[in-house]
Amino acid sequence: MRESTKTYFQIYNNDFINNYNFKFYERKSISFYAPYIQFEYSDYNNLMKDKSNIDDLLQNYLVSNVYISDEYLYNYTTRNDFLYLNKSTSNYDFSKALNDVGLSNMKQQTGEGINIGILELGILDDYTNFQIDKVQTYGYTKDAHTTQVMSILGGKSGIASNANLFSASYLDYSLYNCMNWLISKNVHVINMSAGVFNSKYTSTSSYIDYIVKTNKISFIAAAGNREKILNAPFGISSPSTGLNVFSIGSYDVNKSVSYFSGAWDDPYQGRILKPTLVAPGGNLIGIDNIPDKLAGTSFSAPIVTGIVALLMERYNTLKLHPEMVMSIITASTKKLPTQTNTWDSDAGFGSVNYLNTFDAYEHTTMYQINSNVLPDSLVQTTNLIVPANNSIKIVNFALYNSYTSNIADDPNRELPFEFSKYIIKIYNGTTLLSSSTSISNINFLEYTNYSSSEINLTIKVFLSGSKIGNDIEYASLSISGIHTHSYEEKWIDNFYHLSSCWCGYQVQVQHMFEYTIYYDRHIGTCSCGYTFSGPHDFEQVIGFSIDNSESPMWIPKFRCRVCGYISYEL
């Protein structure tokens, strides 16, 4: 799919823009995977020299929007400095941080086979933490911040230690060119630990939203560090303002949101909910070969990216379904101690938690909404049993079709864009118990069964009003709080293995074998990995006769007591 998209847009975008006579730009970038073209100007005067071309673009019915911004250059807003180190409360050991997000020694996944893209203001300046054959770079500016970020999400002692890492420098090349390169490498998830600190939905936000939806790539971005920008009370970095983008804030060792972590002042009246969630990022220490204390949302984002890579290895379906990744990760978060609401503008949905995602995955339904759906239609239904005194969290996420929008860079303008809206409703029989109220593309609801017995619930998702646009929409419904044991198995001896659930439950189980059968032997393989080989152990079970008038014969039938193999002997 990506190759066909590239073939189309590489030709179409070039042919389209060549019809115009832009002359005074400093750099032109053309996306190979989306209907986006970008010009960069050294100053306003040069921009005005090309104004007639811009006016012509605005008159072209094929152009949905023209964005003009003076904040294109991605900066170091998410980097740590002395301000953070002086103000943060205590050091946060990396091993404790991993434990706090549900990563323990029990995990079997290492990111093997997962391709992670890293967008930074440079490439690695030190390969000590990495397997050389698993790293590819696009750029030439060496950067310590890139090494720090990549050491967390990958690297020999990072979260996804065996993932393939593709590092692109948008200081050396344009963002579009970096994305062209990353997508050509078939990345499954992209980490971006920098951005423009402006709390706006920008052209870059729109572009990334399109890439996520069309090219099926999960995109995780740092929310930004507000304290560096003149003590700004609020702020989220673009492109983490994208509706299809994870926006990751930071919390400290005391489980409080870091003072620098970007917070949302809701310039879009509830249509965009940021940050998405938080992860450890305050004064991280103890990362191999990284002597510095690391503070900033830059280092929270790669924790989430590493976790997403582990999930993609465990559940291969997630590699091509960013809508499932979003609903699963957000449904499985844990509230911070001071957090009361399901979502808030400081901590988002709370802390990422790897172990909780297992249950959320088991209770996730992916679905599509076609163009012919009627207004207010029921689009998804699921039934579940909630135990007594148990709480559940429900998240419904729909990928946003960014190219149908006309979002303005200026949040003070009246918003001209629309997207399909959904509502979650919980029923017990025909009785409506609760409804969601979000008007974003992510809807959520929590419910607690306070009774002394289990309750049967039906979760329904409705389209709220009419569907926007003619394209298919892709959505995912995830429910957390209903635990199903998910076992990892460890060999004990030739007769038993230990099955351990992440919740702490363990049981000793006798090996159950699947057999590969040969005429003289069999090979048994247990789900725990134990194998054995042995000769058949036959017993006679029955026989049959061949009635030949001259010489009738009795043919015995034998079956192996172990593998069930049948043999006949004359």
Side-chain angles (χ1 to χ4, degrees), residues 297-356:
T297 57
S298 277
F299 311 111
S300 304
I303 289 177
V304 178
T305 302
I307 285 174
V308 168
L310 300 186
L311 283 175
M312 287 179 172
E313 181 190 2
R314 186 182 183 98
Y315 307 115
N316 250 234
T317 304
L318 300 182
K319 292 195 292 187
L320 292 176
H321 289 285
E323 71 278 17
M324 292 181 69
V325 175
M326 180 68 82
S327 68
I328 289 169
I329 292 288
T330 51
S332 59
T333 54
K334 295 179 69 173
K335 289 180 181 176
L336 298 184
T338 57
Q339 198 171 3
T340 56
N341 296 325
T342 308
W343 177 90
D344 65 45
S345 59
D346 286 311
F349 286 97
S351 173
V352 65
N353 191 279
Y354 175 64
L355 291 181
N356 286 357

Side-chain angles (χ1 to χ4, degrees), residues 53 129 138 227 275 296 306 400 410 433 457 459 477 487 553 570:
N53 287 291
N129 285 349
Y138 180 66
E227 190 70 19
Y400 172 53
D410 182 0
L433 301 180
L457 298 181
I459 313 299
L477 176 70
Y487 291 113
M553 292 189 301
L570 297 178

Side-chain angles (χ1 to χ4, degrees), residues 135-152:
V135 177
Q136 293 185 39
T137 60
Y138 180 66
Y140 46 84
T141 299
K142 296 181 179 180
D143 179 55
H145 184 264
T146 303
T147 303
Q148 294 162 354
V149 167
M150 290 177 64
S151 294
I152 292 172

Side-chain angles (χ1 to χ4, degrees), residues 23 33 59 109 114 150 175 195 211 216 233 257 271 297 335 352 370 394 454 516 551:
K23 293 181 179 180
Y33 297 92
Q59 299 303 315
Q109 284 67 44
I114 305 304
M150 290 177 64
L175 178 69
I211 291 295
K216 310 302 182 185
V257 174
R271 299 190 191 190
T297 57
K335 289 180 181 176
V352 65
N370 296 317
I394 307 162
E454 64 184 26
T516 302
S551 56

Side-chain angles (χ1 to χ4, degrees), residues 99-132:
N99 186 68
D100 287 344
V101 297
L103 287 166
S104 67
N105 293 329
M106 190 176 152
K107 75 178 180 72
Q108 292 182 335
Q109 284 67 44
T110 60
E112 184 70 37
I114 305 304
N115 299 333
I116 303 176
I118 300 96
L119 275 169
E120 280 285 333
L121 289 168
I123 60 173
L124 288 173
D125 71 338
D126 186 346
Y127 281 77
T128 304
N129 285 349
F130 304 93
Q131 303 176 57
I132 301 298

